[in-house]
Amino acid sequence: MAKLFLLCLFSILPALFCWVSSADLPTNYEYFTEGGIVAGLNADQRYFKLNEKEITIFSGAFHYFRVHSSQWRDRLRKMRAAGLNTIETYVSWNLHEYHSGAFDFGHGGSDFEEFLDIAEFIKIAQEEDLFVLVRAGPYICSEWEFGGLPSWLLREKDIKVRTSDEVFLKYVARFWGELLQILEPLQFTNGGPIIAFQVENEYGNTGNHDSEYLHALVSIYRDNEIKELLYTSDPPGAGSNGALPNELLMTANFNSNPTWNLDTLDSLQTDKPTMTMEYWSGWFDHVGEDHHTVSVETYSEIYEAIITHPASVNIYMFVGSTNFGFTNGASSLYSGLDNSGLQPDTTSYDYDAPITEAGEITDKFTATARLIEQYNPVKTKLPEVPETPERVVFEDIKIEEQILLRKIIDDYPEAVVSESIVSMEQLPINNNSGQSFGYVVYRKTGLNLREGAELKISGYVRDTVLVLLNGQLLNPVLSSKSDLDSFGYWRVKDSTVTLTREALREATLDLVVENNARNNYGSLDQFQQFKG
């Protein structure tokens, strides 16, 4: 991949060959900025032009907030070594504005500080000779907690997220005002690597075509000096729902039937470039499922069909990664807010991608490199593929001490006293931003319990619960898939557990409730959800 030979044949001297090594080729940036930058990415014809030169975008998705910053350059260099000329990333609002009005873009002191220097990430991408597509949301889906929306939005009574609701747009404008002042200097026409920005994300899947909302997002971009190309992305089956035809470029998301999907996209907009914004290289996993995979043969066949349509393409995901902490998202089998049908995603976001969660290259990586080399007419200098260190097996660590849940609860300094049950989001903590992730404990003291007393939790738990009576755990922790269908987990409706076999006086009951993920996808009614 790093050694490229251009073969020349001359009819006068049939035995004479010439070759040019990769070292003699221009870099990606040298090729597209030769003579100075006079224009950004243009979509006013059937093909993309960047700086007035025709370009096919060969991109791959890499989410900076899912990979530790110490590994960013390694992954980016591997992406460039595969022949990609562009990378794509989402922006995670709920990490960057971790409390209402408190921002972290790499130096803000939040738990995820080391993952959040988006400017540094984009600068490294440019140093590694890659352009950047930014998908700033405000909603990103991404199998990410609440689709990237901060949970403190739910503290606003009757807020309608992902709509032209003035309250929601007020918060979007505040966040984007902070974000876009960082990204504005990094635009291609300002000498940076960002060639385009996405408006919302798969809005056509909501069943709510709010063009006023999409126009408002465009205005926020432009008011913050964003000059580059703007676009939307949806499965073509959504038609023009979620898009602004003839105003913003429409792009497609799918992983099968490439001819039908791309022909449908072309029928929705004429005389525009064709682009697959999400060609799904694999798939994510819900808790309790086996790991999803896609064969390299199927992957390659569809990827080649997209390229030869012809179309530009972004591979989602190109870099496998991780939902650290409590950041995984969830799907729902049904609409509604009762938590029935919840499908939390796993911590791993390996996605069966060309680069694995551990940073290893795969057969899909090799297949991608081969097809890009075959079909990209613009030949530029590529780096050698960085070596991946061998996996390390750490020695077992002997557990010598423990802290009991009861002691943690007893010693917690910020207990909230309330006459009624309060959701995580509505707790008066974290500068009145509530709690986004993790656990909340509900304690009731002074209980007089009769023999055989039971606890009943009406509806569906949101999302798991451990029951302690006088500090003793009454229900088992998760140890098998079958446990998910028993008391303590989100699958069971109106579940009960026996509290005591004998009568007790002045007992203390603790319910330790964990948020396993707010829904990240679907119709708008699924985004009014509370945990705890």
Side-chain angles (χ1 to χ4, degrees):
M1 286 168 285
K3 293 184 178 179
L4 175 69
F5 300 93
L6 300 181
L7 189 62
C8 304
L9 289 141
F10 298 89
S11 57
I12 300 176
L13 298 172
L16 179 63
F17 296 88
C18 70
W19 59 271
V20 180
S21 73
S22 175
D24 298 321
L25 293 172
T27 66
N28 190 36
Y29 271 85
E30 286 170 345
Y31 179 85
F32 284 102
T33 62
E34 183 182 10
I37 298 173
V38 296
L41 188 66
N42 181 286
D44 293 336
Q45 57 284 312
R46 286 287 297 134
Y47 51 87
F48 285 115
K49 292 172 68 177
L50 181 62
N51 203 25
E52 300 187 341
K53 292 186 177 182
E54 187 171 343
I55 181 174
T56 298
I57 297 172
F58 293 95
S59 178
F62 175 18
H63 300 157
Y64 60 94
F65 48 87
R66 280 180 156 132
V67 175
H68 191 267
S69 54
S70 63
Q71 298 172 324
W72 287 348
R73 189 177 297 277
D74 170 82
R75 305 300 193 269
L76 290 165
R77 185 166 297 177
K78 285 172 180 170
M79 296 176 81
R80 181 64 183 133
L84 299 177
N85 55 23
T86 304
I87 63 135
E88 170 268 305
T89 189
Y90 279 133
V91 177
S92 175
W93 182 4
N94 55 5
L95 292 189
H96 285 297
E97 192 174 0
Y98 56 99
H99 297 158
S100 181
F103 301 94
D104 190 346
F105 292 98
H107 307 281
S110 73
D111 291 344
F112 278 84
E113 181 180 62
E114 294 183 16
F115 293 79
L116 297 180
D117 194 338
I118 186 172
E120 180 66 15
F121 173 77
I122 291 172
K123 289 173 183 176
I124 294 173
Q126 184 171 16
E127 291 169 3
E128 295 301 326
D129 205 23
L130 291 156
F131 301 125
V132 178
L133 301 170
V134 173
R135 305 169 80 185
Y139 158 81
I140 61 174
C141 185
S142 190
E143 291 73 58
W144 188 255
E145 156 61 46
F146 207 22
L149 300 173
S151 64
W152 49 256
L153 289 171
L154 298 171
R155 296 173 64 87
E156 290 282 357
K157 182 176 172 53
D158 299 326
I159 190 172
K160 295 179 175 60
V161 302
R162 303 183 68 194
T163 73
S164 52
D165 174 50
E166 291 183 2
V167 177
F168 178 63
L169 286 174
K170 174 189 70 174
Y171 287 116
V172 175
R174 184 178 72 180
F175 171 59
W176 274 13
E178 298 288 331
L179 170 69
L180 297 179
Q181 70 175 337
I182 295 171
L183 301 186
E184 186 272 336
L186 300 173
Q187 296 178 94
F188 178 80
T189 49
N190 290 338
I194 303 174
I195 58 174
F197 291 82
Q198 183 169 296
V199 177
E200 244 279 347
N201 186 67
E202 293 191 332
Y203 198 60
N205 285 337
T206 64
N208 181 66
H209 182 60
D210 186 347
S211 60
E212 183 181 344
Y213 167 51
L214 298 177
H215 279 117
L217 296 181
V218 172
S219 294
I220 298 172
Y221 267 129
R222 298 312 188 199
D223 290 346
N224 284 277
E225 306 299 326
I226 298 303
K227 300 171 287 186
E228 307 298 341
L229 180 74
L230 301 180
Y231 64 91
T232 58
S233 69
D234 287 285
S240 59
N241 290 332
L244 294 175
N246 304 316
E247 297 181 56
L248 302 181
L249 179 70
M250 299 169 64
T251 64
N253 300 348
F254 59 87
N255 69 339
S256 62
N257 300 319
T259 300
W260 181 88
N261 278 288
L262 295 174
D263 285 347
T264 301
L265 175 63
D266 290 339
S267 71
L268 295 170
Q269 60 182 4
T270 58
D271 299 322
K272 295 288 184 181
T274 306
M275 179 158 189
T276 304
M277 189 51 59
E278 290 186 17
Y279 165 45
W280 305 321
S281 61
W283 203 242
F284 57 92
D285 305 318
H286 293 126
V287 171
E289 294 178 342
D290 294 331
H291 181 45
H292 289 88
T293 60
V294 174
S295 71
V296 67
E297 292 79 16
T298 298
Y299 166 83
S300 300
E301 179 182 342
I302 296 173
Y303 189 53
E304 185 170 21
I306 295 170
I307 297 171
T308 57
H309 177 77
S312 291
V313 55
N314 175 58
I315 298 168
Y316 186 102
M317 296 289 299
F318 199 85
V319 176
S321 47
T322 308
N323 300 316
F324 290 100
F326 297 92
T327 57
N328 63 286
S331 307
S332 179
L333 287 171
Y334 324 107
S335 69
L337 303 177
D338 64 359
N339 219 40
S340 61
L342 184 74
Q343 295 179 297
D345 301 324
T346 62
T347 299
S348 173
Y349 202 64
D350 179 78
Y351 215 87
D352 194 33
I355 299 175
T356 71
E357 185 176 17
E360 299 158 334
I361 64 170
T362 66
D363 290 342
K364 285 183 180 176
F365 179 98
T366 305
T368 305
R370 175 182 59 79
L371 289 168
I372 294 175
E373 183 177 19
Q374 179 178 352
Y375 288 109
N376 188 359
V378 177
K379 304 302 180 184
T380 53
K381 185 182 300 183
L382 300 179
E384 296 281 353
V385 181
E387 291 187 7
T388 300
E390 292 186 8
R391 295 192 185 193
V392 176
V393 178
F394 294 100
E395 295 182 4
D396 290 343
I397 298 175
K398 183 179 179 181
I399 298 175
E400 297 179 344
E401 295 181 275
Q402 65 179 0
I403 302 176
L404 297 176
L405 275 175
R406 181 177 183 176
K407 179 170 177 54
I408 296 174
I409 298 167
D410 288 343
D411 294 346
Y412 191 71
E414 299 179 32
V416 174
V417 179
S418 174
E419 292 295 321
S420 59
I421 298 294
V422 181
S423 72
M424 293 174 67
E425 298 82 1
Q426 298 291 357
L427 287 169
I429 59 175
N430 296 323
N431 297 319
N432 278 321
S433 294
Q435 182 169 323
S436 296
F437 311 121
Y439 301 88
V440 59
V441 179
Y442 297 91
R443 165 170 284 186
K444 180 70 173 177
T445 59
L447 283 173
N448 296 324
L449 301 174
R450 67 180 183 273
E451 179 183 345
E454 289 187 331
L455 169 72
K456 178 179 179 179
I457 298 181
S458 300
Y460 297 90
V461 178
R462 305 187 184 195
D463 297 311
T464 68
V465 60
L466 298 175
V467 179
L468 291 85
L469 188 66
N470 292 335
Q472 298 301 308
L473 183 63
L474 300 184
N475 61 315
V477 296
L478 183 67
S479 60
S480 68
K481 287 197 287 186
S482 62
D483 288 343
L484 295 174
D485 297 310
S486 60
F487 175 87
Y489 299 95
W490 62 87
R491 292 182 180 178
V492 184
K493 185 178 182 180
D494 298 336
S495 54
T496 61
V497 64
T498 299
L499 292 178
T500 178
R501 299 296 180 187
E502 57 187 27
L504 290 176
R505 294 186 61 81
E506 296 296 316
T508 296
L509 177 68
D510 291 309
L511 305 182
V512 183
V513 184
E514 179 184 354
N515 165 21
N516 280 78
R518 295 176 185 86
N519 184 52
N520 61 255
Y521 173 81
S523 56
L524 292 187
D525 63 346
Q526 296 190 67
F527 288 88
Q528 302 294 327
Q529 53 191 297
F530 295 85
K531 297 293 183 178

